[in-house]
Amino acid sequence: MATLAIYPGSFDPLTNGHVDIISRGARLFDRIVVAILKNAEKAPLFTMEERVEIARSVFRHHPNVEVDTFDGLLVDYVERRKAQVIVRGLRAVSDFEFEFQMALMNRRLSPELEVLFLVPSAQYTFLNSTLVKEIARLGGDIGGLLPPLVERRLLSRFAEERARAGDKG
Ligand code: PNS
């Protein structure tokens, strides 16, 4: 039977750490779905449509990587898709406690489910979307942390923000 894995998250924005995990998953499973949670944050930097478009564009040459959205419980989505595995990245010990709670809670909701943790390349163990957004907003160097397309869009988003703030004086 073909193995379908779901890699859920907010992906606001997609970082090279995510890309690393998705690429590993694409080698391990027949198909991996990047499942973007709708309404995860009240004020995301990128809209749902933008996040979908970005992920599709980054993985356009990977036929076994699919990009989809979901809302409601993750286990319900996994069941609907008839997937066998949820993939999550584990960067550091600090991730472990919350990831462990989520994995066990998801298993309680859906006992057949397997959650598999993949470890990203060491260079991405400190990387998360929130920090990258903050550094970019404050004008710091984010080179090498994001796929080039995402970096360009993030920088232009903040340039627009600064221009608007400048207009207001
Ligand atoms: O990118 P994130 O914020 O780390 O992703 C978190 C995500 C989307 C995996 C988690 O918030 C989630 O699964 N949300 C869906 C709602 C749900 O099922 N909640 C119960 C989790 S035990």
Side-chain angles (χ1 to χ4, degrees):
M1 193 176 64
T3 317
L4 177 66
I6 305 288
Y7 179 49
S10 323
F11 304 105
D12 185 39
L14 184 84
T15 68
N16 280 342
H18 297 129
V19 171
D20 178 295
I21 297 291
I22 297 163
S23 306
R24 287 171 201 282
R27 287 197 292 272
L28 280 173
F29 306 108
D30 294 299
R31 193 170 183 78
I32 183 163
V33 179
V34 180
I36 308 178
L37 178 66
K38 290 184 191 165
N39 309 323
E41 251 186 272
K42 282 199 189 95
L45 185 65
F46 290 106
T47 66
M48 197 66 216
E49 293 71 26
E50 286 174 312
R51 280 177 278 160
V52 168
E53 184 204 320
I54 287 171
R56 287 201 177 131
S57 173
V58 170
F59 287 97
R60 66 192 178 282
H61 299 308
H62 294 70
N64 70 335
V65 176
E66 178 187 330
V67 180
D68 195 11
T69 62
F70 77 104
D71 53 11
L73 280 179
L74 174 61
V75 290
D76 290 340
Y77 175 73
V78 171
E79 203 165 303
R80 261 199 319 281
R81 294 299 312 258
K82 300 193 183 354
Q84 296 89 346
V85 181
I86 293 176
V87 168
R88 292 283 292 170
L90 207 53
R91 289 164 298 196
V93 177
S94 51
D95 279 344
F96 181 75
E97 194 169 344
F98 181 56
E99 292 297 332
F100 191 61
Q101 285 170 352
M102 275 207 301
L104 289 178
M105 193 58 94
N106 280 327
R107 177 172 291 158
R108 183 175 180 276
L109 295 166
S110 180
E112 296 296 298
L113 192 74
E114 291 301 339
V115 179
L116 209 83
F117 293 109
L118 296 182
V119 176
S121 173
Q123 57 185 321
Y124 302 130
T125 48
F126 58 89
L127 177 55
N128 76 49
S129 300
T130 307
L131 282 181
V132 176
K133 280 186 282 193
E134 182 172 312
I135 294 164
R137 182 174 275 129
L138 299 174
D141 178 12
I142 53 161
L145 301 179
L146 302 171
L149 153 86
V150 183
E151 183 177 332
R152 278 196 304 276
R153 290 181 75 145
L154 191 68
L155 294 178
S156 77
R157 184 61 51 95
F158 288 132
E160 282 162 23
E161 253 188 40
R162 276 194 293 275
R164 271 200 303 275
D167 284 349
K168 284 184 195 142

